């Protein structure tokens, strides 16, 4: 990623359909980064705090009035499905935390907002999926960089009724294309993980919350000063000597929004994960859960800063949710940023997911496989076979047209000649006599998928996948096809039976994810050369 100043993206394109555009300059950079950091730190903190604020019915009612609510999903029908319960009847819990960059309140502006952005659609600059295992003994915190280009589904704004067509764009514009429910729908389409709830945070009152915690320990390897340079304007102002320091209010915010001194956006995410893990450890150690005065102040600030999906829109439900999160030991918490690569369309500013490693991570979350190796085998084993709800095919196999494409080409291997024809013959033997091989040329895909253009063909696509032994998680809706299409990927270069993929093991985290364990107190941030003093 480039070290150019980080500006706010807009949902309106500047050269390609739906492209995020950059606005402003160094005069607005500091306030924008400050708010993103505030919202991010508030996200998880609010969940923890709310779990301790249920002392009485009247207080609940007061806090309930603070909470704002919205639709869980505003996107097209989701292709994600819930992980089946284990033998003990337990299911995983997935919560999407969203940090909005809205500037549409006086408090936002007081904390550093830019007046030229008042009234602009909010963007989801911080996005983190919290996954709690079915047995509530492990957890994962997975971030996707805000500049990641992804497929965004058709969404409808629940407030205005405005419909937004599906597009490929930067993931942070989802909030402006149908609210938090569109961000959730985008994540579900991207990961195949069913997301139970979303929580969106603004940053009003977060400074007081940071101080109320009593400081959080952070560490740097060298003296750091994140200041403007002749080539790179802006900076958080963070200045500290090498070693471990306890940061409060303003300095904590500087730590969370520092980017230049670490060298990139992914490394800023690493610093944020380190801060969050340190914060969780401190909350577990101190008496914040028994100090009613501190709890009331924290709960008041948290609920005023919180918007949630409507099915968890009461303090009682948030309390129950937080108690489940609180039970996870710190050495079973894994935080990471999904593997990514520079975007070929805009390598200096945007990234795309590293598909093989990202797909492995999504499978681990769908299968509820712990990302750490510190747990003992559970007596309640997860159901081995995950079967989404099957749709009824719209027609008989012999009447369905199926196109088979050869996508076995890789960066190091040529496409397998005749592969599409081989698989179309397998389908013909299964009754799909109208299956044909695409002759337009070889493609390149890491994984085999079955695509369909519209919901009415979903059942047919599922039936085709079943006939070939392809898992249901590989059945995807796509506007790139006009009918049911089998894309034979590099994972199926030989044989007529789809090869069974090895099940991921606990702790077998994909590469390039910059993983941190919640109990790790030894890591320090390395300071990029120009910002050492």
């Amino acid at each position: 990623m480039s070290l150019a100043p980080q500006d706010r993206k807009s949902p309106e394109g500047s050269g390609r359909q739906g492209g995020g555009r950059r606005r402003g300059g160094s005069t607005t950079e500091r306030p924008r980064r400050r708010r993103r950091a505030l919202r991010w730190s508030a996200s998880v903190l609010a969940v923890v705090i709310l779990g301790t604020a249920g002392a009485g019915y009247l207080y609940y009612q007061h806090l309930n009035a603070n909470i704002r609510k919205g639709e869980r999903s505003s996107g097209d029908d989701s292709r994600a499905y819930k992980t089946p319960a284990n033998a003990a009847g337990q299911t995983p819990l997935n919560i999407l935390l969203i940090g909005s960059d809205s500037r549409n309140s006086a408090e936002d502006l007081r904390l550093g907002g830019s007046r030229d952005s008042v009234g602009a659609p909010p963007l989801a600059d911080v996005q983190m999926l919290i996954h709690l295992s079915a047995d509530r003994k492990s957890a994962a915190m997975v971030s996707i960089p805000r500049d990641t280009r992804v497929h965004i589904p058709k969404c409808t704004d629940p407030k205005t009724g405005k419909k937004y067509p599906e597009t490929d764009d930067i993931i942070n514009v989802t909030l402006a294309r149908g609210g938090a429910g569109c961000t959730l729908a985008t994540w579900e389409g991207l990961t195949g993980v069913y997301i139970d709830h979303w929580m969106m945070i603004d940053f009003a009152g977060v400074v007081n919350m940071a101080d109320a915690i009593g400081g959080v320990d952070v560490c740097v390897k060298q003296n750091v000063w994140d200041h403007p340079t002749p080539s790179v304007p802006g900076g958080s102002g963070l200045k500290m000597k090498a070693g471990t320091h306890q940061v409060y209010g303003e300095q904590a915010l500087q730590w969370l929004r520092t980017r230049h001194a670490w060298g990139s956006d992914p490394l800023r995410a690493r610093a944020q994960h380190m801060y969050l893990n340190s914060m969780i450890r401190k909350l577990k150690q101190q008496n914040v859960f028994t100090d009613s005065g501190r709890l009331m102040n924290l709960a008041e600030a948290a609920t005023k800063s919180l918007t949630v999906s409507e099915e968890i829109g009461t303090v009682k439900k948030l309390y129950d949710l937080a108690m489940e999160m609180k039970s996870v030991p710190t050495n079973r918490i894994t935080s990471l940023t999904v593997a990514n690569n520079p975007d070929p369309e805009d390598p200096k500013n945007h990234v795309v997911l590293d598909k093989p490693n990202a797909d492995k991570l999504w499978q681990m979350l769908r299968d509820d496989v712990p990302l750490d190796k510190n747990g003992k085998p559970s007596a309640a084993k997860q159901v081995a076979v995950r079967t989404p709800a099957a749709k009824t095919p719209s027609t008989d196999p012999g009447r369905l047209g199926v196109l088979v494409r050869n996508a076995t080409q890789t960066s190091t291997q040529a496409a397998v000649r005749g592969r599409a024809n081989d698989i179309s013959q397998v389908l013909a033997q299964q009754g799909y006599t109208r299956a044909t091989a695409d002759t337009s040329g070889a493609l390149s895909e890491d994984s085999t998928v079955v695509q369909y253009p519209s919901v009415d063909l979903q059942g047919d696509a599922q039936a085709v996948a079943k006939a070939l032994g392809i898992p249901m998680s590989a059945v995807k809706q796509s506007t790139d096809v006009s009918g049911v299409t089998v894309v034979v990927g590099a994972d199926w270069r030989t044989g007529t039976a789809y090869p069974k993929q090895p099940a991921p093991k606990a702790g077998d985290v994909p590469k390039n994810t910059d993983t941190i364990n919640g109990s790790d107190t030894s890591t320090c941030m390395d300071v990029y050369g120009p910002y050492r003093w």
Side-chain angles (χ1 to χ4, degrees), residues 40 90 112 160 163 168 180 199 214 229 241 264 313 360 375 379 398 435 456 530:
W40 175 89
Q90 302 165 310
T160 66
K163 297 183 182 298
D168 287 340
M199 300 178 67
T229 68
K241 293 184 177 181
S264 69
K360 180 180 179 181
D456 59 308

Side-chain angles (χ1 to χ4, degrees), residues 36-49 95-98 126-132 139-143 201 206 209-210 213 215-219 245 247 252-253 255-257 262 267-286 289 325 328-331 333-337 516-521 523 525:
R36 294 181 193 121
L38 283 165
R39 285 186 298 276
W40 175 89
S41 61
S43 302
V44 176
L45 182 59
V47 177
V48 176
I49 291 167
I95 307 161
L96 183 63
L97 298 178
I98 303 169
V126 178
Q127 301 178 33
M128 181 185 299
L129 181 65
I130 307 299
H131 172 85
L132 294 179
M141 299 185 292
V142 180
S143 297
I201 304 294
V206 179
M209 292 167 62
I213 296 171
V216 173
D217 289 339
V218 297
C219 179
H245 303 268
V247 294
L253 302 180
W255 175 274
L256 291 169
R257 67 187 180 91
W262 311 141
L267 288 174
R268 175 168 61 178
R270 177 179 178 83
Q272 292 173 344
H273 288 153
M274 290 169 58
Y275 179 94
L276 176 58
N277 287 334
S278 179
M279 181 184 71
I280 292 174
R281 290 194 299 269
K282 183 156 190 175
L283 285 171
K284 284 179 172 288
Q285 294 168 358
Q286 64 183 210
F289 300 115
M325 297 179 67
V328 180
T330 55
N331 73 335
I333 299 173
T334 305
S335 59
L336 55 84
T337 299
I516 303 176
N517 185 272
S519 63
D520 186 357
T521 60
T523 56
M525 291 300 297

Side-chain angles (χ1 to χ4, degrees), residues 107-173:
E107 184 69 1
D108 287 349
L109 291 173
R110 185 187 71 79
L111 291 172
S114 172
R115 293 186 181 277
D116 65 349
S117 296
V118 172
L123 304 176
D125 275 351
V126 178
Q127 301 178 33
M128 181 185 299
L129 181 65
I130 307 299
H131 172 85
L132 294 179
S133 64
D135 60 11
R136 302 301 189 262
K137 293 181 179 179
S138 68
M141 299 185 292
V142 180
S143 297
I144 291 182
R146 72 188 185 104
D147 290 336
T148 305
R149 183 167 56 85
V150 299
H151 179 75
I152 301 173
K154 177 182 177 181
C155 293
T156 302
D157 190 312
K159 294 182 178 179
T160 66
K162 181 177 179 179
K163 297 183 182 298
Y164 294 87
E166 60 184 322
T167 186
D168 287 340
D169 206 337
I170 310 309
I171 197 168
N172 76 336
V173 307

Side-chain angles (χ1 to χ4, degrees), residues 1-326:
M1 295 291 291
S2 166
L3 284 180
Q6 182 178 347
D7 296 319
R8 188 174 186 266
K9 308 294 186 301
S10 166
E12 301 299 330
S14 59
R16 59 183 176 85
Q17 181 181 0
R21 89 167 174 256
R22 296 181 176 269
R23 294 192 310 213
S26 60
T27 58
T28 59
E29 180 184 72
R30 284 174 59 98
R32 291 169 184 168
R33 292 180 187 165
R34 174 176 179 171
R35 290 197 312 281
R36 294 181 193 121
L38 283 165
R39 285 186 298 276
W40 175 89
S41 61
S43 302
V44 176
L45 182 59
V47 177
V48 176
I49 291 167
L50 286 172
T52 66
Y57 177 76
L58 293 179
Y59 191 57
Y60 273 145
Q61 292 299 96
H62 169 70
L63 294 179
N64 281 340
N66 289 341
I67 302 172
R68 292 159 290 178
K69 299 179 282 292
E71 289 185 8
R72 176 188 162 275
S73 176
S74 60
D76 267 1
D77 291 340
S78 173
R79 278 86 73 190
Y81 53 90
K82 292 185 178 181
T83 303
N86 60 23
Q90 302 165 310
T91 57
L93 181 64
N94 296 298
I95 307 161
L96 183 63
L97 298 178
I98 303 169
S100 164
D101 77 342
S102 174
R103 298 161 173 80
N104 298 326
S105 76
E107 184 69 1
D108 287 349
L109 291 173
R110 185 187 71 79
L111 291 172
S114 172
R115 293 186 181 277
D116 65 349
S117 296
V118 172
L123 304 176
D125 275 351
V126 178
Q127 301 178 33
M128 181 185 299
L129 181 65
I130 307 299
H131 172 85
L132 294 179
S133 64
D135 60 11
R136 302 301 189 262
K137 293 181 179 179
S138 68
M141 299 185 292
V142 180
S143 297
I144 291 182
R146 72 188 185 104
D147 290 336
T148 305
R149 183 167 56 85
V150 299
H151 179 75
I152 301 173
K154 177 182 177 181
C155 293
T156 302
D157 190 312
K159 294 182 178 179
T160 66
K162 181 177 179 179
K163 297 183 182 298
Y164 294 87
E166 60 184 322
T167 186
D168 287 340
D169 206 337
I170 310 309
I171 197 168
N172 76 336
V173 307
T174 54
L175 194 59
R177 297 176 61 87
C182 188
T183 305
L184 181 145
T186 300
W187 270 76
E188 288 196 334
L190 187 68
T191 67
V193 175
Y194 181 86
I195 300 175
D196 300 273
H197 318 295
W198 57 258
M199 300 178 67
M200 185 165 63
I201 304 294
D202 64 26
F203 52 88
V206 179
V207 172
N208 292 334
M209 292 167 62
D211 285 336
I213 296 171
V216 173
D217 289 339
V218 297
C219 179
V220 288
K221 292 182 180 179
Q222 303 89 13
N223 295 352
V224 59
W225 183 19
D226 191 49
H227 64 290
T229 68
S231 59
V232 182
S236 70
L238 178 70
K239 189 173 185 179
M240 64 174 57
K241 293 184 177 181
T244 299
H245 303 268
Q246 194 168 77
V247 294
Y248 299 81
E250 180 66 24
Q251 194 173 37
L253 302 180
Q254 291 175 339
W255 175 274
L256 291 169
R257 67 187 180 91
T258 293
R259 176 174 69 105
H260 297 158
W262 311 141
S264 69
D265 280 328
L267 288 174
R268 175 168 61 178
R270 177 179 178 83
Q272 292 173 344
H273 288 153
M274 290 169 58
Y275 179 94
L276 176 58
N277 287 334
S278 179
M279 181 184 71
I280 292 174
R281 290 194 299 269
K282 183 156 190 175
L283 285 171
K284 284 179 172 288
Q285 294 168 358
Q286 64 183 210
N287 67 346
V288 65
F289 300 115
T290 58
D291 187 332
S292 60
R294 293 176 66 190
L295 286 177
M296 291 178 68
N297 291 335
L298 290 169
E300 190 75 30
T303 53
K304 286 182 177 179
S305 301
L306 190 65
T307 306
V308 301
S309 51
E310 56 195 0
E311 74 285 348
I312 55 168
T314 67
V315 172
K316 174 61 171 65
K317 291 179 180 178
L318 291 171
Y319 170 82
D320 293 340
L321 179 63
M323 288 301 96
E324 294 190 79
M325 297 179 67
K326 180 183 173 184

